[in-house]
Amino acid sequence: MQHLERYVTNVKAEKERIAELYRLMQKIEAEQAKQKLQFEDEQREKEELQRKMQNIEVKQAKQFEDYRKEREELQRQMQILLKVIEEKDKVLEEKDKDMRQLKDARAAAERMVSWGKPRVNIYLYTQHDR
């Protein structure tokens, strides 16, 4: 009889271990399902972030291209303005030269008058007259 009791006790213990293993398997399966869902969520989130990064990169590339074009246009306008300034500087230099020639001619004419000599018609050649 002891043998039978020990057998029954062993069977009960084995049943309990099997039940515990079954519960453990259920917990593992539940945890695996939970991790699978979490992994899928993370994958979707990763894909969404990649799409957003691509959109940002496209926008940045467009902005860079726009800024490059704007810079080129500003450089072109700056070259035009520099040419205009250069031309105006040349005109001012010519005007200054003309003014000096007029002052010199006037001074010469005043000297002639002050010496009592008759007036002489002085024709000034300016760059515009040439």
Side-chain angles (χ1 to χ4, degrees), residues 1-14:
M1 188 78 176
Q2 261 183 339
H3 196 12
L4 188 58
E5 284 179 12
R6 199 176 326 142
Y7 177 75
V8 170
T9 304
N10 285 342
V11 168
K12 283 183 181 179
E14 198 63 34

Side-chain angles (χ1 to χ4, degrees), residues 11-12 16 18-19 33 46 48-49 63 67 73 75 79 83 88-89 99 104 106 108 112-113 115 117-118 125:
V11 168
K12 283 183 181 179
E16 187 60 38
I18 289 173
K46 179 183 172 185
E48 179 64 25
L49 286 174
Q63 282 180 336
Y67 291 146
E73 177 61 22
Q75 286 176 332
Q79 290 300 321
K83 285 179 184 178
K88 292 202 181 273
D89 282 345
M99 289 298 291
D104 290 346
R106 182 177 182 184
M112 286 182 166
V113 168
W115 292 338
K117 295 182 180 174
Y125 290 99

